[in-house]
Amino acid sequence: MLAILILFAAIRAPSAPGRRAFTLSVTFALWWTICVLYRHSVTDYETRFLLCQLAWFGIMATPLYWSLSFLTYARGRELEKTWQLVTVGIIAAVFGILALTNDWHQSLYISLIDETTMLFEHGWIYNVGLIFAYSTMATACLYGTVTALRSNGIHRWQLWALLASAILPWLGNISYTIYGFTLFNDDPTPFLFTATGAFMLGAQLFGQLFVLPPIGRDAMFAMLPDPVLVLDEKGRILELNPAAARLPGVPAQPIGKNLTDASELNTLLQDGCCGDGLRHEVRLAANGLTYELSCHSLAPWGRDGGRMVVLRDISLRKADAQRLAALSRDLETRLEENVRLQTLLRDEASRDHLTGLYNRRHAQTILPALFERERAGMPLSLLIVDIDHFKMFNDRFGHQTGDAVLQIFANILRQGMSGEENVFRWGGEEFLVVLPGADRQTASERAEHWRAQMPSITLPDVLDMNITFSAGLCEVTATMRTTLEDAVKAADKALYAAKAAGRNRLIVFGDEATTRAAGGKTASVALIGA
């Protein structure tokens, strides 16, 4: 029943190293046990002797299949090969046939010693089979013990269970062969194989035997996608994985040989570019790949001067980084262009397209802060300048000529502007001039300078232009609590007074203003709100 349960669990387990060989080992152990039990149930000597002969198929197959299963499972590298399973089967079959033909050669059983226990004097074939089976199991047990000691967790438990399942029957067989120990008046080996089935059943049910098989370190080393080379102190290759074997400069039969002298990798390693644990980015032109190269000393493992060279392929990561960098540069360029366009749009939105001066909206955006700052100290003069009779001029000479006059007049106003001084097109033929730090005297002189340049405004085919302007001035001092809106209203009132006084003059808000009219006439106006 134990054997059947073990077989059922092993067959249902996923494909794993050693599973098929283990299943065959349990199957032949069951065959061996059946032969022994059946032999105990009959009294006829010929039948009992035949069962002893038939048992040899299980006597040889059980330990050999177990050894193959244990070695394959402990290595954890790959499944057992079909030819290995067939070879073990052929060996067991040969011994079974030799047992069945013993009457012809007398090389397995020489003579009967005890009919009750079916104990025989054995020949040389028996000894050959015994030595072969024992040496195979000894090798498997030794390798399995070392592997179990190096394993961790559930894999160590699995390997100990496999060892126990073979060592107890093996010890029983040695006791029977050398010391004549019997169990139920017979060879204890098949009974012990059945008893150790409890270990195997526990390993399958609780230790996930064949469900969570160990993966050998050499298998992991071979499956690594990154090239790994182990070099001795003279640069000779001690070990490498398949990925490293494909590197340029690695010989066809690499173990014990140096890298090709002319190879890039050999040059890099000889130049000492990579210290212990340090990482360097290298590109091998021979295969066009980029690697992160690191070297690790083997001194902790007793190999002074030896080193392990690891090359992590970062070609895709590098390509992705370069692609991201290109996308980032493109995005940065687009952002810069976007910022430039936004700045241009803001600038265009804040400028008068005809004169190139900032417009009224821009003035209302930047001047309030200037007024707040200037109110604490230095004076500030604000002027509203208006071209006299500009509508009549437009009607007489046309809008195109009027636009040209506006452009020339705007140039006259902005000439000599410095620092925070600025001129804005306030609307139509009106211009707003802000002169931080200028008192009424300075501002009046600037207005007279503009007036002096008015006769220079000439246009081809336009005679008798006689262009003049009127201006209202508001001076903001430290004693006045004036905002931009208040100052504009004051200057606008002064401008209105200048126009009412006959135009072509400047009037200062809040005072009696003296204006100089064309032809040298002088007039004084008492301003509203002065």
Side-chain angles (χ1 to χ4, degrees):
M1 291 301 297
L2 280 173
I4 291 171
L5 289 174
I6 293 168
L7 285 172
F8 180 72
I11 291 172
R12 290 191 61 189
S15 180
R19 184 181 68 88
R20 290 187 296 169
F22 175 77
T23 304
L24 290 171
S25 175
V26 175
T27 302
F28 279 100
L30 183 61
W31 168 262
W32 186 3
T33 305
I34 290 172
C35 289
V36 172
L37 292 176
Y38 188 40
R39 192 182 70 207
H40 278 275
S41 67
V42 297
T43 57
D44 179 58
Y45 172 76
E46 294 298 331
T47 304
R48 296 178 71 192
F49 183 65
L50 176 62
L51 290 170
C52 286
Q53 293 172 312
L54 291 173
W56 271 94
F57 290 97
I59 290 172
M60 290 303 297
T62 299
L64 295 182
Y65 276 125
W66 179 91
S67 299
L68 176 61
S69 170
F70 191 55
L71 286 171
T72 309
Y73 192 79
R75 290 181 66 195
R77 185 170 184 174
E78 56 189 357
L79 301 177
E80 60 271 43
K81 302 291 192 301
T82 302
W83 68 265
Q84 295 171 328
L85 298 172
V86 172
T87 300
V88 172
I90 291 174
I91 294 173
V94 168
F95 276 90
I97 293 172
L98 288 173
L100 291 172
T101 58
N102 184 73
D103 291 341
W104 298 347
H105 51 73
Q106 300 289 319
S107 298
L108 186 64
Y109 297 128
I110 296 176
S111 61
L112 178 66
I113 297 175
D114 185 357
E115 184 178 347
T116 303
T117 59
M118 296 301 289
L119 181 63
F120 295 90
E121 179 184 357
H122 300 119
W124 66 272
I125 292 179
Y126 178 90
N127 294 324
V128 169
L130 190 69
I131 293 172
F132 184 73
Y134 279 12
S135 59
T136 303
M137 291 191 66
T139 302
C141 289
L142 180 61
Y143 181 82
T145 301
V146 173
T147 306
L149 292 173
R150 295 173 59 187
S151 299
N152 296 304
I154 195 172
H155 294 146
R156 175 179 288 185
W157 200 96
Q158 293 171 350
L159 294 174
W160 285 129
L162 283 170
L163 278 170
S165 69
I167 289 178
L168 290 179
W170 187 24
L171 292 176
N173 188 260
I174 293 174
S175 300
Y176 172 74
T177 304
I178 298 177
Y179 303 107
F181 174 76
T182 61
L183 185 65
F184 306 118
N185 235 10
D186 209 317
D187 182 358
T189 307
F191 302 107
L192 290 176
F193 260 117
T194 304
T196 55
F199 287 101
M200 304 313 301
L201 193 59
Q204 289 177 311
L205 295 178
F206 305 107
Q208 300 292 297
L209 184 67
F210 301 120
V211 176
L212 299 176
I215 303 299
R217 287 177 173 82
D218 53 348
M220 292 187 289
F221 183 66
M223 289 187 292
L224 282 175
D226 298 322
V228 179
L229 298 100
V230 180
L231 308 176
D232 67 5
E233 64 278 3
K234 295 182 180 180
R236 293 174 298 199
I237 300 173
L238 300 178
E239 187 61 85
L240 77 169
N241 65 344
R246 295 190 291 268
L247 286 173
V250 175
Q253 301 295 328
I255 304 301
K257 297 181 182 178
N258 294 83
L259 294 169
T260 306
D261 292 337
S263 68
E264 297 172 278
L265 182 58
N266 187 51
T267 303
L268 289 169
L269 295 175
Q270 287 183 349
D271 290 343
C273 71
C274 189
D276 190 21
L278 298 179
R279 300 176 185 274
H280 296 271
E281 185 177 305
V282 297
R283 186 178 187 278
L284 301 182
N287 61 7
L289 299 178
T290 303
Y291 298 95
E292 183 183 76
L293 173 67
S294 62
C295 295
H296 307 272
S297 174
L298 297 181
W301 289 271
R303 296 302 299 260
D304 292 336
R307 53 185 170 167
M308 181 173 67
V309 181
V310 181
L311 294 95
R312 186 178 300 279
D313 188 351
I314 59 172
S315 302
L316 293 178
R317 188 178 76 187
K318 194 73 176 176
D320 289 340
Q322 292 174 347
R323 185 164 56 253
L324 286 175
L327 291 173
S328 178
R329 288 192 298 269
D330 182 63
L331 180 60
E332 186 177 352
T333 301
R334 291 169 180 258
L335 288 174
E336 290 176 353
E337 179 65 17
N338 190 24
V339 170
R340 188 187 68 80
L341 290 174
Q342 289 181 354
T343 303
L344 180 61
L345 288 173
R346 283 196 301 269
D347 190 65
E348 289 182 353
S350 63
R351 286 191 180 274
D352 173 54
H353 296 291
L354 178 63
T355 61
L357 299 175
Y358 285 116
N359 56 25
R360 182 171 187 158
R361 184 172 66 178
H362 188 64
Q364 292 172 333
T365 300
I366 67 170
L367 292 181
L370 180 64
F371 269 74
E372 290 292 326
R373 186 170 69 250
E374 294 298 337
R375 283 169 55 190
M378 297 176 64
L380 180 147
S381 292
L382 183 144
L383 300 93
I384 295 182
V385 183
D386 182 87
I387 299 177
D388 295 330
H389 303 296
F390 185 74
K391 185 177 183 303
M392 294 175 58
F393 184 88
N394 252 351
D395 294 339
R396 180 182 175 186
F397 296 103
H399 289 282
Q400 186 174 2
T401 302
D403 290 345
V405 170
L406 287 175
Q407 291 173 336
I408 296 173
F409 185 62
N411 289 332
I412 292 174
L413 292 179
R414 71 176 144 212
Q415 286 176 2
M417 292 288 173
S418 61
E420 293 184 306
E421 296 178 347
N422 216 329
V423 57
F424 305 86
R425 187 176 180 189
W426 197 243
E429 66 272 21
E430 284 188 348
F431 297 85
L432 178 72
V433 181
V434 179
L435 302 173
D439 56 13
R440 68 177 65 189
Q441 181 63 34
T442 304
S444 298
E445 292 174 357
R446 293 286 288 273
E448 287 303 315
H449 175 71
W450 300 333
R451 193 185 307 281
Q453 296 185 64
M454 296 303 289
S456 65
I457 299 179
T458 57
L459 293 172
D461 302 327
V462 179
L463 303 176
D464 191 24
M465 294 183 64
N466 193 26
I467 298 174
T468 61
F469 69 86
S470 300
L473 168 63
C474 174
E475 179 189 16
V476 181
T477 65
T479 60
M480 299 175 62
R481 299 183 62 83
T482 305
T483 63
L484 171 64
E485 184 180 358
D486 293 337
V488 170
K489 287 180 179 179
D492 197 49
K493 289 180 180 179
L495 173 63
Y496 178 77
K499 288 182 175 291
R503 293 184 171 83
N504 192 23
R505 67 196 65 212
L506 167 71
I507 291 185
V508 181
F509 176 78
D511 233 347
E512 270 191 2
T514 303
T515 61
R516 293 178 175 82
K521 295 181 179 180
T522 303
S524 62
V525 177
L527 295 177
I528 299 174

